[in-house]
Amino acid sequence: MNEPASTTIGIVSDTHFWMRSRPVVTASGAVQLQPWSERILDTLLTELEATQVDLALHLGDLTCGGGSYAMPSDVFTFTMRHLYRRLHELSAPIVALPGNHDVHPGNGDLSEFHTLWRYEPGLGKLIDLPEARLILLNTMGHTPAQIAAAVDGDPVFGWVNPAELERLDCALATAEGRPVLLFTHQLLHPWAGERPWRDYFGVANAAEVLQVIQRRGGVRAIFQGHAHRLDVQVRTLGDHQACVFAVVPAIIDYPVAWVRLELTATQARWALQRLPLEELAALSEHSGDGQSWRQGEPAWWNYQFPLC
């Protein structure tokens, strides 16, 4: 019997690439793995190639611009260009969303990202596959006032501007019954786990985004980055269809993993893919007050949901 046709997507988030001599340690004592950025990237590219993904998606925070990282300006520019070149070594196409740490240090400027990845400021992308429509929603459409008010030009929280809301509405309206998968950097809904929620993890005008989704319907799943954890919950949206809200873990800390998503005409299946870098994963896992919570529940490591 022939296997049903399928498309395989590699979903990566929060690489925070930076070849520096020491790890970044967060306020809670969690260790990120920046000194091993090149090794991690080499391994990631090898694994994506071996898995034969048809498409790779990066959900943002490619590097360490903006915010508290204090990355030097020239290092930021070099790193963004270097990472762009390396990611395009993949034989499969790759598309990235901007994250809040992809802004130029100190001023919140995303022009380097926009130029490399061919984005109109504040707008996302649309990809039609045989099995589903993919909408990459740009949550970095902040106003100049929001950027000016943020420390180091990094608002952290997401913002979807009016033009992007209109693009989302149009993309849903013209889906013609195809299932839709949505991809974002910041979160459209708080995670389900026990760790305390902070508003800066979310999209500040998420209610407006969800209102568009509820009105148009058709969205089967929303994949989000930013929170450095695996989380899955199912909620019923306005069309009375279940929608999966998934948060994809970061590559830069535990569990040092990406998500392999396989789509068929009727089903979506994903599997958590831990990079074979056990000693680095353990270094992150046992830092601070312990980071094992970032891997989520075992039931989430292999998961499936209907597309029709």
Side-chain angles (χ1 to χ4, degrees):
M1 182 179 295
N2 292 331
E3 291 291 324
S6 65
T7 298
T8 300
I9 304 171
I11 308 175
V12 177
S13 196
D14 294 86
T15 43
H16 287 280
F17 190 101
W18 183 3
M19 285 298 296
R20 51 179 276 158
S21 60
R22 294 183 180 181
V24 170
V25 181
T26 70
S28 66
V31 169
Q32 296 184 353
L33 301 169
Q34 278 81 9
W36 300 276
S37 288
E38 202 74 67
R39 180 182 173 194
I40 291 169
L41 180 61
D42 285 341
T43 307
L44 172 64
L45 293 174
T46 298
E47 294 295 299
L48 288 169
E49 206 68 65
T51 307
Q52 297 183 314
V53 298
D54 300 299
L55 171 68
L57 300 177
H58 195 302
L59 301 189
D61 281 0
L62 288 88
T63 183
C64 297
S68 59
Y69 282 106
M71 192 180 206
S73 176
D74 58 337
V75 175
F76 170 79
T77 301
F78 170 83
T79 302
M80 285 291 287
R81 295 175 184 180
H82 173 73
L83 188 55
Y84 178 85
R85 288 192 297 268
R86 291 298 320 277
L87 289 173
H88 281 83
E89 292 173 9
L90 278 173
S91 57
I94 181 166
V95 183
L97 276 167
N100 59 296
H101 288 296
D102 296 319
V103 302
H104 196 280
N107 60 19
D109 181 14
L110 271 165
S111 60
E112 186 71 34
F113 180 93
H114 292 155
T115 299
L116 287 170
W117 293 93
R118 297 175 177 82
Y119 272 85
E120 292 294 323
L123 298 181
K125 294 184 182 292
L126 179 68
I127 302 171
D128 278 326
L129 300 176
E131 302 84 2
R133 168 164 283 191
L134 312 185
I135 300 175
L136 279 66
L137 188 72
N138 192 330
T139 57
M140 291 297 296
H142 300 87
T143 67
Q146 288 172 324
I147 295 171
V151 176
D152 200 23
D154 174 18
V156 186
F157 64 84
W159 184 263
V160 180
N161 68 26
E164 181 69 336
L165 283 171
E166 183 177 346
R167 189 187 71 89
L168 171 64
D169 186 71
C170 181
L172 293 174
T174 59
E176 299 178 339
R178 283 172 291 176
V180 175
L181 304 179
L182 193 70
F183 299 85
T184 72
H185 182 64
Q186 290 93 345
L187 279 59
L188 288 172
H189 193 276
W191 52 70
E194 296 179 357
R195 307 291 290 197
W197 170 258
R198 298 287 185 267
D199 286 344
Y200 56 71
F201 284 109
V203 175
N205 59 337
E208 292 181 77
V209 178
L210 292 173
Q211 194 173 51
V212 172
I213 293 171
Q214 290 169 352
R215 182 173 71 251
R216 293 298 187 184
V219 177
R220 301 296 188 266
I222 301 172
F223 294 90
Q224 307 147 112
H226 190 48
H228 293 219
R229 63 180 300 155
L230 177 64
D231 189 82
V232 178
Q233 57 183 307
V234 180
R235 296 183 61 82
T236 301
L237 296 179
D239 59 2
H240 305 295
Q241 269 186 325
C243 179
V244 178
F245 285 76
V247 183
V248 177
I251 285 289
I252 197 59
D253 50 24
Y254 190 77
V256 194
W258 57 283
V259 168
R260 180 183 184 272
L261 176 67
E262 182 181 8
L263 307 178
T264 68
T266 61
Q267 200 80 11
R269 296 186 293 269
W270 84 59
L272 185 69
Q273 305 288 308
R274 300 172 191 262
L275 296 185
L277 298 170
E278 290 80 6
E279 76 284 7
L280 292 182
L283 173 62
S284 174
E285 181 185 10
H286 300 300
S287 63
D289 59 358
Q291 309 302 314
S292 60
W293 56 271
R294 296 184 186 276
Q295 68 184 347
E297 301 293 333
W300 301 339
W301 301 346
N302 290 277
Y303 192 87
Q304 62 183 19
F305 59 91
L307 284 179
C308 58

